[in-house]
Amino acid sequence: MLDPALQAVGELTAVAAQFTESADFYLSLRYRADTLRVIVYDNHPRYTQPHLANACDTRRRAALRVLACVCRACGGDWGFGESREPGGGTRMWARLPRERAATYGTATGRG
């Protein structure tokens, strides 16, 4: 699982650094129920104006296109949205099930 996990962490932290004005963001890794969950919080607020929110979401989605490919190859999923933590910001996440992630990049796996 190392390769897809490193790719997910790298992609999420790079995008957090690109979108946030702060030098700080939060990274969480959890392994539960045979699935690795990678979560990154940054302080970039969600826009309330629909046009700005849509443009920002489009930029963030484009920046995470490699992550989307990794998650698809591993049978996982990913996303982003408003942070539920105090202080607001944006929460991005990836979920990588062990069974498919363990064969990522091999002749028998996809990716």
Side-chain angles (χ1 to χ4, degrees):
M1 286 189 69
L2 184 59
D3 288 340
L6 289 174
Q7 189 72 50
V9 168
E11 293 292 317
L12 290 170
T13 56
V15 171
Q18 176 186 353
F19 276 79
T20 189
E21 294 179 8
S22 171
D24 298 323
F25 53 89
Y26 175 80
L27 168 68
S28 171
L29 299 173
R30 279 199 220 179
Y31 185 76
R32 191 173 12 177
D34 287 334
T35 300
L36 178 66
R37 290 170 176 83
V38 182
I39 302 170
V40 174
Y41 294 92
D42 65 56
N43 74 350
H44 181 58
R46 303 288 295 163
Y47 291 105
T48 56
Q49 296 175 335
H51 178 72
L52 290 175
N54 187 41
C56 187
D57 286 354
T58 299
R59 284 187 56 222
R60 194 176 288 258
R61 193 172 294 109
L64 292 168
R65 66 185 171 274
V66 172
L67 177 70
C69 294
V70 171
C71 287
R72 186 172 38 254
C74 294
D77 56 2
W78 66 281
F80 60 89
E82 187 170 356
S83 171
R84 295 176 283 209
E85 299 298 314
T90 301
R91 173 184 179 259
M92 298 180 291
W93 54 270
R95 194 177 59 81
L96 303 170
R98 181 180 182 274
E99 185 176 343
R100 294 257 309 264
T103 62
Y104 177 80
T106 67
T108 59
R110 298 176 188 168

